[in-house]
Every structure is written in structure tokens, then in C-alpha cells.
Amino acid sequence: MRILSVVGARPQFVKLAPIAAATVGRADHTIVHTGQHYDELMSDVFFSDLGIPQPDFNLGVGSGKHGQQTGTMLAGLEQIFEDVRPDWVLVYGDTNSTLAAALAAVKLHIPLAHLEAGLRSFNRRMPEEHNRVLTDHASDLLLAPTEVAVGHLSAEGLGARTVLVGDVMTDVLFKTRSLVQARSEPLPSGVEAGRYYVSTIHRPDNTDDPERLGQIIESLAALDRPVVLLAHPRLRDLASRYDLELERGSIRVAAPLAYPQLVNAVMNSAGVITDSGGLQKEAFLLRVPCTTIRPETEWVETVQLGWNELVSSDLTSLTSVVQRAAPQQTEATPYGTGHAAQHVVTALLR
Ligand code: UD1
């Protein structure tokens, strides 16, 4: 059997790693990189650090408006799918690369599987929400990470095509945590273990309005410990366009980290402040309290178990929420036990 994976953005490379490993000896695997992310720190380091084979194809589409970016990918993917004729196209998460590949596959009648199916924010302002809803409804096989995701898919009439596989990011996180512990990775420069926060901010709802971005930066700058702000290129670009100084107060601006360094930085931190989806979950799995600057989250289990708090409209509460008392320990495993990728390959083979 030939499985063709399409990835393009940073979180998808992380999810691809355990899948690529799980296909070895079980299925042929072709990797297509759309080129949505292209900086070395946003792309290449993930392939080298996580032992992912080099992509068989790279469309090199780069950045652009949503329609233009998605359309360019669609045209390029169609040609590749026609040439390779895989048994399955496997798409990951909720980016523009996911949607483009889903459309290209269904129009060629190639079976389509969606990894991380069924997540919902119910916020139609997020580009990711349309990407995931449209991809789920186009897919032949829905690979759901959690019971909650299975529930959403059933409610939308997609239960018969759904399989609960667990979360593949948990697979890669547990593996990377063990590697990092074994080789004692250095911390981000200038901070001490347990006495700093890690922050990432990149979502359009937080970055595109200069006033809101300014308030977020002010709140981070006022925190009681150094904040290592891992600046996505989008944040850097917009801050400089708005003439907004990021490096101030408690904030220490740093480049995005490679995955093992990110896991190490989060593991040793006093807390995470983010608007990323994956990082909320990684913080929970590493049992580090997280504060999410969004009105809602797809990873509701992190909130229900007390390890994640949402702050959105009232940014004045950010300081007190970040500096809250430690949550209660839990043994819950809502994201599986680190073997999701094998279940994914089994479902595809079946
Ligand atoms: C994309 C995904 C988002 C995911 C995120 C992870 C969509 C709609 N969004 O958002 O779901 O959480 O990736 O990071 O697909 N840029 C660079 N170098 C790069 C990549 C991007 O400089 O390698 C800059 C460009 O200015 C670009 C901007 O970042 O315009 C945004 O990149 P884009 O891929 O469009 O969206 P992300 O915000 O990264």
C-alpha cells in the first residue's frame, strides 16, 4: 500500500515524524511538502531533528494570501497525485496545506484520510476552523485524537467514517522528552530552570490589530519572571511594521526553537503563555501550567483538568492568571499513551 502524506507548516512536521516511523516495514510512504513554511527554523530543523526522511516533492509555494496560497498548492498537488496515484492521501491538522490536499485528493477520487479530525473551536473567524470542517467532510477516513473529537464528528453525521486513534503529537513528545532528559539539553540563554515563562504568539486575531498586540506585549512585559518569547516570523514582521518594541520589561525575544529545544524549554519553565494549539497540549503533557490567549480551545481536556486557562477579551487579567497557584496533579491520559501513529497505519491498512 502507498500512503502519501502532505505537510507544509511547522506543527505538521511534528505530526509527520511518528507517522513516517510507523510506516516503515508496513507501507510505502511518499512525503509531499507544500513549502508553506520554508525558513530553516520553521521547517528544515524538524526534518533533521526528528529523523523524518527528506520530502519526495517540495512545491515551494511560500507565503501569500489564503486563496492564492491554497490555490497554488491545489494545482501543484493535483499533478503529483496524478503521477504517484497513492492508495491514501493523508492530511494533517488544519492549515491551508491540509485543505488544498483534501480538495486535490477528492477531485481525483483518491481516498482521503484526515489526521487530527474532529477538533472544533466553533469560532468561524479562525482560518483553521474552516480548514478542518471542510477537510473532515471531504474525508473518507477520520482519524480522531480524542473522545471529544469523536463526539463532534458523530454530531455532524460523520461517525461511521471515524476511528479513535489517539494523538500523534503525544507519541513524538514522549519520545523527545526521553531523548532530551538523556542528553541534558541547555536552557534558553539567560534563564534559570523553573524561573521563567515560555511564550508564543502568532494567531492573526492576536497579531493583526496593533492595539491588541500592544496590550498582549505590555502584559507579558509586566510578568514577575523572564518571558522567553519565541517569535514567529509573522510576529516579528508585524511588530516592526507597527513600530512595537517586543524586547521590553520581562520579555526576552528569541528565535523559534527546534523541537527538542522547545520541549526542553517548556519542561523546565514555570508556565507557558501561548495562542498555539499544539503548545497547550505539550504544556499539559509535560505538566506545566498554560495560559492561552484565545476565547476558546480545541483541546478542552487541558482546561477541564485544570492545566490550561483561557484569557481573551479581558487582557488585564493575564498577569494574575499566569501567576496563579499550581494546578492539581492528574494521571489522566486524554491524548493516549504515545502509540497513536501505529493505530493510524493500522486503520489505513485495514
Ligand atoms: C500556519 C497555519 C496555522 C499554524 C501555523 C503554525 C494556516 C491558515 N495557518 O499559520 O494553523 O498554527 O502555521 O506555525 O495554514 N513566514 C515566514 N517564514 C516561514 C513561514 C511563514 O517568514 O517559514 C511568515 C510570512 O510572513 C507569512 C507569515 O509568516 O506570511 C504567516 O505564515 P503562514 O504560513 O501564512 O501562516 P502561519 O501564521 O504560520
Side-chain angles (χ1 to χ4, degrees):
M1 171 177 291
R2 179 174 298 279
I3 300 166
L4 184 152
S5 285
V6 179
V7 291
R10 184 169 54 172
Q12 294 170 323
F13 310 138
V14 177
K15 294 166 201 168
L16 171 65
I19 297 291
T23 56
V24 173
R26 300 186 73 191
D28 290 334
H29 189 215
T30 301
I31 299 174
V32 182
H33 188 327
T34 63
Q36 178 172 348
H37 286 175
Y38 42 87
D39 287 352
E40 197 190 340
L41 287 175
M42 298 290 286
S43 174
D44 304 2
V45 293
F46 290 87
F47 284 81
S48 48
D49 285 339
L50 298 176
I52 308 169
Q54 280 307 303
D56 299 278
F57 301 90
N58 191 326
L59 292 173
V61 298
S63 303
K65 291 186 186 176
H66 285 261
Q68 183 225 336
Q69 189 183 53
T70 311
T72 310
M73 292 174 192
L74 178 54
L77 290 168
E78 185 171 61
Q79 188 59 57
I80 294 170
F81 294 178
E82 273 179 342
D83 294 345
V84 176
R85 278 278 154 196
D87 298 297
W88 281 109
V89 166
L90 178 60
V91 298
Y92 298 67
D94 54 20
T95 73
N96 290 343
S97 299
T98 315
L99 179 63
L103 288 174
V106 290
K107 286 191 180 283
L108 290 170
H109 311 297
I110 299 173
L112 173 67
H114 184 202
L115 183 78
E116 224 177 59
L119 293 184
R120 295 290 180 267
S121 66
F122 301 102
N123 175 354
R124 300 284 297 222
R125 280 186 53 81
M126 290 175 67
E128 292 80 6
E129 184 73 356
H130 343 128
N131 288 344
R132 53 173 92 99
V133 170
L134 293 167
T135 301
D136 280 342
H137 284 257
S139 294
D140 301 284
L141 177 63
L142 297 160
L143 301 161
T146 61
E147 294 282 3
V148 170
V150 170
H152 291 148
L153 293 167
S154 301
E156 292 175 29
L158 301 173
R161 295 185 236 162
T162 299
V163 179
L164 175 64
V165 287
D167 172 48
V168 296
M169 273 182 117
T170 301
D171 299 14
V172 67
L173 179 79
F174 286 171
K175 202 167 153 205
T176 307
R177 179 180 58 186
S178 307
L179 288 175
V180 163
Q181 280 167 335
R183 67 183 185 213
S184 72
E185 213 42 71
L187 291 177
S189 73
V191 294
E192 289 168 52
R195 301 175 69 91
Y196 65 94
Y197 302 113
V198 171
S199 182
T200 73
I201 306 293
H202 76 280
R203 289 206 183 269
D205 269 357
N206 285 333
T207 56
D208 292 9
D209 170 14
E211 201 183 320
R212 179 162 176 90
L213 181 58
Q215 284 171 353
I216 292 173
I217 296 302
E218 281 290 319
S219 312
L220 295 179
L223 285 170
D224 58 343
R225 296 186 168 124
V227 179
V228 179
L229 177 61
L230 304 171
H232 184 290
R234 165 194 209 97
L235 173 66
R236 273 185 200 270
D237 289 357
L238 289 169
S240 97
R241 202 182 306 161
Y242 306 151
D243 229 354
L244 184 72
E245 185 54 65
L246 293 176
E247 181 99 27
R248 64 167 107 154
S250 299
I251 301 178
R252 315 278 181 270
V253 179
L257 291 175
Y259 194 68
Q261 284 75 41
L262 175 83
V263 170
N264 185 54
V266 170
M267 230 164 80
N268 286 291
S269 73
V272 165
I273 307 138
T274 191
D275 59 6
S276 146
L279 201 49
Q280 295 169 47
K281 195 166 22 104
E282 284 155 350
F284 166 73
L285 293 168
L286 295 167
R287 297 299 189 268
V288 169
C290 183
T291 304
T292 298
I293 308 183
R294 279 184 50 195
E296 72 285 300
T297 178
E298 300 78 18
W299 303 106
V300 290
E301 303 81 2
T302 60
V303 174
Q304 287 158 358
L305 292 165
W307 285 81
N308 189 8
E309 286 210 23
L310 307 178
V311 174
S312 181
S313 50
D314 179 15
L315 288 168
T316 56
S317 65
L318 189 72
T319 320
S320 58
V321 174
V322 172
Q323 294 170 200
R324 68 191 182 271
Q328 209 158 21
Q329 280 303 333
T330 171
E331 297 295 317
T333 55
Y335 303 118
T337 51
H339 302 97
Q342 289 295 346
H343 298 317
V344 168
V345 176
T346 301
L348 292 169
L349 291 172
R350 221 179 261 154

